[in-house]
Amino acid sequence: MRLTRHRLLTATAFAGLTLGGPALADDLTIGLKSEPSSLDPQFHVLSPNMQVALSIFEALTTQDPTGAVKPLLAESWALASPTEWDFKLRPGVTFSDGSPLTAADVVFTFDRVAKVPNSPTAFTLFTRKIASVTALDDATVRITTTVPYPLLLVDIVNIPILSKTAASGPAPEGRTTTEMNRGEGLIGTGPFTFVSWQKGADLVLARNEHYWGTAPAWDRVVMRPMTNPAARAAALLAGDIDMMEDLPTASIADFRANKAVNVVSAPPARSIYIALDQERDDSPGIGGAGGKNPLKDKRVREALSLAIDRAAIVERIMGGAAVAAGSLGTGTMFGTSPAHVDAPRPDTERARALLAEAGWGNGFTITLGSPSGRYVNDARVSQTVAAMWSRIGVTTAVDAVAPPVYFKNRDALDYSAYLGSWGNNTAEIGTTLTAQLMTYDKAKGQGTANGGRYSNPELDRLLDEASGTMDDAARKALLEQADALAMEDYAILPLHFEVPSWALRSGLTYAARADQFTLPQFVTTEN
Amino acid sequence: MAAPMIPAAKTASPRRLLMQRFAESPLAVLGLGTLLLLLGFAALAPWVAPQNPYDIGALEIFDSQLPPGSVSEFTGTTYWLGTDGQARDVLSAMLYGMRTSLIVAVTSVLGALLIGTTIGMVAAYIGGWVDAVLMRIVDLQLSFPAILVALVLLSVLGQGVDKVILALVIVQWAYFARTARSTAMVERNREYVLAARCLNLGSRRIIFRHMLPNCLPPLIVIATIDLAHAIAAEATLSFLGIGVPVTEPSLGMLIANGFEFMMSGQYWISFFPGMALALLILAINLVGDHLRDILNPRNAQ
C-alpha cells in the first residue's frame, strides 16, 4: 500500500519527464544531483560536465578508481627530454562515426582548448604548462612542456580527444559551445554516443557500436537531473531510476539494510579541514584575547586539534560515510606522510593543559565560518567542532551561511577560522599543499587557497623542489617531508575525507571512483 | 449623514464588554488558553527546559538522534521527545525555539505596527502629494512577495535574530500603513476632527490623541493575524537556512534540521517542533479571528 502510493506520487511528479513505456532490460536510468552546464567538453571544468564528456570521449590517459594514472588512447609514452613527452596512440581506435583516430585529432583538440570563449572555468587550467603539441607521425604526438612537469599525465586526463573532422567549423574554435550543446560535433571514441539532451531534463546516450574496448552493458543511458536527494532516493526505491548519485548520509544505514538496493562507496578523496588565521594579530573573529591572535601560537593550534574527536564526527555526523584524517592527503595518496595517515586521538585534558601553558587558561572566543549546503553536512560538522572547542574553554560561535556568502567572506579573509574543503584529482599531495599551505603569492599560483595565510619558508622550499623533481621516489620523499612538517606545525587542522556513495537497484554494481564521477560504462550487472 | 459616534465612549467599561463578547466563543477561549500556555512555557524556557540547547559545549555528540524516551548514558537525563542530529534535547530545543520565534514575531509586529500606523495616518491626514508618494511606496512594497523581500534583505544584512526582526518589520509595515490610512481617511472628515481643527490644535495632537484611538480596532485585528504570519515567515526563513544562527535554532530551523532524518524514520526531530509551530499559529489565528468578529464595525449591528 505504502509502496503503491509512493510509486504513484513519484510517477505523477515525473510524468512530464519520462518518455513512457516500460524500461528495457538494457536501459540504465541515473538520477544525477546536478546536470551539466554544457556538453562542450572544453567549456567548463565542472564534475557534471566532465562525467558526460568522459562517457562520450576519451583522453590520452585516464585514472583508475583510486586515482592512479593509466594509459587510454595513448598506448604508451616516453620522455624524449625532461620537457618532451612522446605519446604513442593506440592502434585500431575509431571514432563513433567510423573514422580512425590520428595524431591530427589530438593536435586539433589541444589547439581548441584556449580558443573556447566565455568559459566560467577554463580548461587552460590543465594546459598552462604545455608549450606545444605536435604530430610526429600519424600515431605519435609530442607534448612539450615549459618546465619539467611530472603532473602532465594527470592533467591531460581532463582533455578528452575530439574528432578533427566532426568538430571543425567556421568559428575560431571550430564547433562552438552552442552547437555542441545541440549535439553537433559530439563525435568521440568513448563507449557511448550522444542521442538527445533537453536542459533541465533527460540527457540520453546510446552504446557506441564502433567502440574499440569492451562494449558497455547498456544500449541506452538516461541521465536525469534530480537535485533533491530525498526525491532521488524515493525514485530509486520506487524503481523509476536504476542508480542515484550522492546518497544522503542520513539514509546510508537504511539503504545498506535494504535488500532492494545496493550501496557502493568510492575511495575517500575530498578533504575537509579547518583553516586558522596565522597572519594577523587583530583577527576579526577572535574575542576576549586583548587584541592578540592566540592562533599564532602552535600550542593553541595543537590544543584545538586535540579537542576535536574526529572519529565521533565520522560516526555521528557523517553516518560513517567519511574517513577521519590526520593529513590533507589520504593514506593512498602519493606523498602523504605515513606517520600522519591516522587521525590524532582526542585528548581534552592535554588540550586544556596546552592552552594554559600558552597563557590562555581562561580561554578566548572565536567564530568559526562555515558554508551551509556546500559540503556533506557542513554546518553540522562545524557545530560539532564548535561544541568540542567550547569544551576546552574556547567558546565558539558558528557563522553558517549560504555558500556564495561563505566564499565571499572567506576570500575577503573575514574569518579567523573556517571549515573548508579541497578535492584533489591528481592523486598527489603536492597540489594540495601548494594551494593550501604555501606562502600566498597569487602571481606565482601558490597558496591560492591558503585562507589562513600560513607561511613557512622551509615548507615552500620543499614544495618548490618537489614540483620540479621528475624522479618519483625522490619527489615522494620530499612531499612526505613537507606534509609531516606542516602537520607537526598544526598549520591546518584536517578533519576527515568525504566518502562519496552511490545507490543502485539490487543486481547492479558500480566501480565507484575517487574522482566522484558517475560513468555509466562502469555500471555492470552483478553475477 | 450619520451622526458621529465615538465607540470607546459608549459604555462605562468597554474592556469588560470586550471580555464578555470574547468569552462567547469557546473556540477562541481555547485558543487564548493554548496561546497563554505556550507563551508561559516559552517565557520560562530557561527554568523549565531540562537542558540549555544553546550551550553547545554541554552537548554530547554521542547522544545524537536518540528516539523519544531515551536516557543519556553520560548525564542520565531523559530525553522525553528524543534528541536531534546535534544531540540537543528536542523538548528543550522546542521551548527555546518557540521563545526565539515569539520574540521575533512580537517585536517585528510591534515595530511594523508603529511605523506602518504612523505613516498611514500621516498620509491620510495630510493628503495630497505626501499621501500619493507614501501610498505608491506601499504599493511597490506590496507588489513584491514578502518572503522574497525578506530573503534579499537577509542575504545583504547577514544572520542574526536582530536582522530577522528588521527584515520582518520592513516586509510588514506596508500592511499596517494601508489599513491605518483607510481608517484614518474616514475619521479625518468626522465632526470631532473638524472640531479639533477649529480649536487650532496641532496636527500631531489631532492624529495621535484624537484619531488614533478610533483607528485602533482594525489595526489590532491585523496585528494579531500578522503575528501568525510573522511566526510562519521566520520559520520559513530559518527553514531556508538564512534566519537565526544554526547553534540557536528557532522552530523553523528545528523542522528543517529534522528533514534529512525523515527518510530514515527519525520522525521526532521534525515532528514535535512542527506540531508546536502548528499549534502556536492555530491558537493565534483562533484568537485573531474572533477578535475581528467582535471589533468589525459591520458586525456591530
Side-chain angles (χ1 to χ4, degrees):
Chain A
M1 173 64 204
R2 220 179 87 204
L3 190 71
T4 327
R5 208 172 57 194
H6 224 134
R7 230 178 234 283
L8 201 76
L9 278 175
T10 334
T12 321
F14 294 104
L17 304 180
T18 46
L19 298 168
L24 299 171
D26 292 346
D27 275 15
L28 179 74
T29 307
I30 305 172
L32 301 181
K33 64 177 170 184
S34 49
E35 71 171 341
S37 63
S38 166
L39 296 183
D40 181 343
Q42 299 182 336
F43 178 64
H44 189 180
V45 184
L46 193 74
S47 292
N49 295 22
M50 289 308 297
Q51 62 190 22
V52 172
L54 295 178
S55 305
I56 303 176
F57 302 94
E58 289 172 313
L60 293 176
T61 54
T62 188
Q63 281 175 300
D64 71 3
T66 62
V69 176
K70 297 279 186 264
L72 192 61
L73 289 183
E75 194 181 38
S76 61
W77 50 83
L79 277 172
S81 79
T83 56
E84 288 173 314
W85 301 70
D86 290 348
F87 292 88
K88 200 95 195 132
L89 296 185
R90 190 178 294 276
V93 175
T94 57
F95 285 100
S96 58
D97 61 0
S99 61
L101 167 80
T102 66
D105 297 307
V106 179
V107 174
F108 170 80
T109 302
F110 280 93
D111 192 40
R112 186 176 181 268
V113 171
K115 293 179 181 168
V116 178
N118 305 323
S119 169
T121 321
F123 278 77
T124 45
L125 175 68
F126 303 113
T127 57
R128 70 208 140 113
K129 295 279 172 72
I130 296 178
S132 68
V133 180
T134 47
L136 296 186
D137 59 54
D138 256 9
T140 318
V141 177
R142 167 168 290 181
I143 298 184
T144 313
T145 56
T146 51
V147 288
Y149 186 55
L151 291 179
L152 179 74
L153 295 174
V154 187
D155 276 358
I156 60 173
V157 165
N158 301 289
I159 310 291
I161 304 305
L162 305 166
S163 156
K164 184 179 178 181
T165 28
S168 292
E173 71 269 31
R175 291 285 186 191
T176 62
T177 301
T178 319
E179 286 171 332
M180 288 201 170
N181 287 345
R182 291 199 294 259
E184 291 162 29
L186 295 181
I187 301 295
T189 63
F192 293 98
T193 58
F194 172 80
V195 176
S196 68
W197 183 41
Q198 249 190 304
K199 209 158 168 38
D202 291 356
L203 171 72
V204 184
L205 304 177
R207 179 192 283 140
N208 173 8
E209 299 302 338
H210 293 97
Y211 188 52
W212 59 272
T214 321
W218 312 106
D219 289 331
R220 199 163 155 274
V221 173
V222 178
M223 294 182 167
R224 183 172 299 162
M226 305 170 88
T227 44
N228 184 329
R232 281 202 302 278
L236 180 70
L237 293 175
D240 291 327
I241 57 174
D242 303 303
M243 176 182 191
M244 68 174 281
E245 282 188 323
D246 208 27
L247 183 63
T249 54
S251 305
I252 286 182
D254 275 11
F255 269 55
R256 281 197 198 281
N258 189 339
K259 290 256 187 305
V261 289
N262 183 18
V263 177
V264 294
S265 299
R270 177 169 281 277
S271 117
I272 303 288
Y273 58 82
I274 288 177
L276 303 170
D277 179 10
Q278 292 158 65
E279 184 188 45
R280 290 166 291 183
D281 277 323
D282 197 5
S283 200
I286 289 176
K292 283 205 270 182
N293 180 358
L295 302 177
K296 290 176 95 168
D297 189 324
K298 183 188 146 192
R299 290 169 297 189
V300 174
R301 301 197 295 270
E302 185 178 357
L304 293 177
S305 179
L306 285 170
I308 302 170
D309 186 345
R310 293 167 173 83
I313 292 177
V314 166
E315 189 194 323
R316 305 304 303 198
I317 303 296
M318 298 298 291
V323 174
S327 157
L328 290 175
T330 61
T332 56
M333 192 176 268
F334 185 90
T336 300
S337 159
H340 296 86
V341 170
D342 293 327
R345 292 176 158 288
D347 188 341
T348 42
E349 290 312 308
R350 173 138 175 76
R352 280 204 195 90
L354 277 167
L355 275 184
E357 196 185 307
W360 299 102
N362 295 325
F364 55 93
T365 66
I366 190 165
T367 303
L368 177 64
S370 169
S372 182
R374 175 67 184 85
Y375 313 117
V376 179
N377 299 336
D378 43 17
R380 294 187 54 209
V381 171
S382 299
Q383 284 182 72
T384 311
V385 169
M388 289 164 174
W389 282 359
S390 296
R391 283 194 173 184
I392 60 162
V394 180
T395 310
T396 311
V398 179
D399 183 23
V401 291
V405 184
Y406 158 81
F407 286 116
K408 185 181 68 86
N409 292 347
R410 190 198 66 179
D411 296 342
L413 303 182
D414 284 345
Y415 295 130
S416 293
Y418 66 85
L419 181 91
S421 172
W422 189 256
N424 181 335
N425 278 356
T426 62
E428 187 159 330
I429 200 170
T431 45
T432 306
L433 294 177
T434 303
Q436 294 285 331
L437 295 175
M438 242 174 139
T439 306
Y440 177 73
D441 187 337
K442 201 174 174 188
K444 280 204 235 164
Q446 61 180 51
T448 45
N450 184 352
R453 294 291 188 262
Y454 175 78
S455 176
N456 183 336
E458 176 64 8
L459 183 77
D460 292 355
R461 190 191 64 73
L462 285 167
L463 290 172
D464 260 338
E465 197 182 333
S467 76
T469 305
M470 298 296 282
D471 177 57
D472 280 354
R475 192 166 77 251
K476 191 169 184 218
L478 284 166
L479 289 175
E480 285 177 1
Q481 211 184 327
D483 186 31
L485 180 74
M487 291 306 117
E488 272 151 33
D489 204 16
Y490 299 90
I492 198 165
L493 310 181
L495 294 180
H496 56 257
F497 301 101
E498 288 179 356
V499 174
S501 295
W502 290 258
L504 305 96
R505 66 175 161 81
S506 69
L508 295 185
T509 189
Y510 180 56
R513 305 170 59 82
D515 54 24
Q516 306 195 15
F517 292 153
T518 304
L519 300 178
Q521 59 265 43
F522 298 118
V523 181
T524 48
T525 45
E526 275 177 319
N527 31 8
Chain B
M1 200 177 174
M5 292 258 281
I6 304 171
K10 207 170 146 192
T11 58
S13 170
R15 196 176 298 158
R16 200 189 161 91
L17 191 73
L18 188 71
M19 276 162 68
Q20 263 173 16
R21 294 214 46 199
F22 190 84
E24 280 168 17
S25 162
L27 215 54
V29 174
L30 185 72
L32 187 65
T34 314
L35 185 60
L36 289 177
L37 194 73
L38 290 175
L39 278 172
F41 272 124
L44 298 175
W47 295 277
V48 295
Q51 181 200 60
N52 176 1
Y54 295 171
D55 178 10
I56 53 170
L59 302 177
E60 179 52 66
I61 191 66
F62 282 101
D63 272 351
S64 64
Q65 301 168 43
L66 294 178
S70 305
V71 178
S72 168
E73 278 179 40
F74 303 91
T75 56
T77 47
T78 307
Y79 300 118
W80 293 109
L81 299 183
T83 57
D84 73 358
Q86 289 310 130
R88 279 182 286 254
D89 175 32
V90 171
L91 176 64
S92 309
M94 256 170 64
L95 293 175
Y96 274 79
M98 203 151 62
R99 202 168 131 97
T100 312
S101 298
L102 281 167
I103 289 174
V104 169
V106 171
T107 323
S108 68
V109 168
L110 283 180
L113 180 70
L114 212 69
I115 296 170
T117 307
T118 311
I119 291 178
M121 297 203 51
V122 167
Y125 186 79
I126 298 178
W129 67 270
V130 176
D131 183 33
V133 168
L134 287 174
M135 284 306 113
R136 292 302 79 74
I137 295 175
V138 168
D139 283 344
L140 194 71
Q141 171 94 60
L142 291 179
S143 64
F144 284 106
I147 204 74
L148 181 74
V149 176
L151 270 169
V152 172
L153 283 171
L154 280 177
S155 53
V156 175
L157 297 172
Q159 277 186 323
V161 172
D162 48 342
K163 279 141 190 156
V164 178
I165 293 174
L166 185 64
L168 288 181
V169 167
I170 292 174
V171 300
Q172 288 178 116
W173 71 271
Y175 298 98
F176 293 100
R178 189 37 73 75
T179 316
R181 175 180 174 268
S182 59
T183 5
M185 287 288 265
V186 176
E187 298 297 326
R188 190 179 66 167
N189 297 321
R190 293 265 163 99
E191 276 84 349
Y192 73 93
V193 177
L194 296 178
R197 275 190 180 161
C198 289
L199 290 174
N200 207 15
L201 296 180
S203 306
R204 200 189 297 168
R205 184 160 174 190
I206 297 176
I207 294 177
F208 294 105
R209 293 283 296 278
H210 295 257
M211 288 166 67
L212 184 62
N214 293 301
C215 295
L216 268 184
L219 289 171
I220 291 172
V221 173
I222 300 263
T224 330
I225 308 244
D226 214 43
L227 199 59
H229 285 169
I231 292 176
E234 185 279 321
T236 311
L237 291 172
S238 296
F239 185 89
L240 296 173
I242 53 160
V244 298
V246 282
T247 46
E248 294 175 11
S250 65
L251 285 181
M253 188 172 275
L254 285 172
I255 297 169
N257 287 347
F259 221 60
E260 59 179 300
F261 300 100
M262 276 291 202
M263 283 288 286
S264 43
Q266 294 166 9
Y267 66 90
W268 58 89
I269 306 175
S270 274
F271 179 76
F272 294 115
M275 290 304 287
L277 182 67
L279 203 63
L280 191 61
I281 293 178
L282 181 71
I284 295 175
N285 277 335
L286 285 176
V287 173
D289 266 4
H290 190 54
L291 266 184
R292 186 185 57 195
D293 291 345
I294 299 172
L295 296 175
N296 189 345
R298 287 210 187 86
N299 294 350
Q301 311 307 320

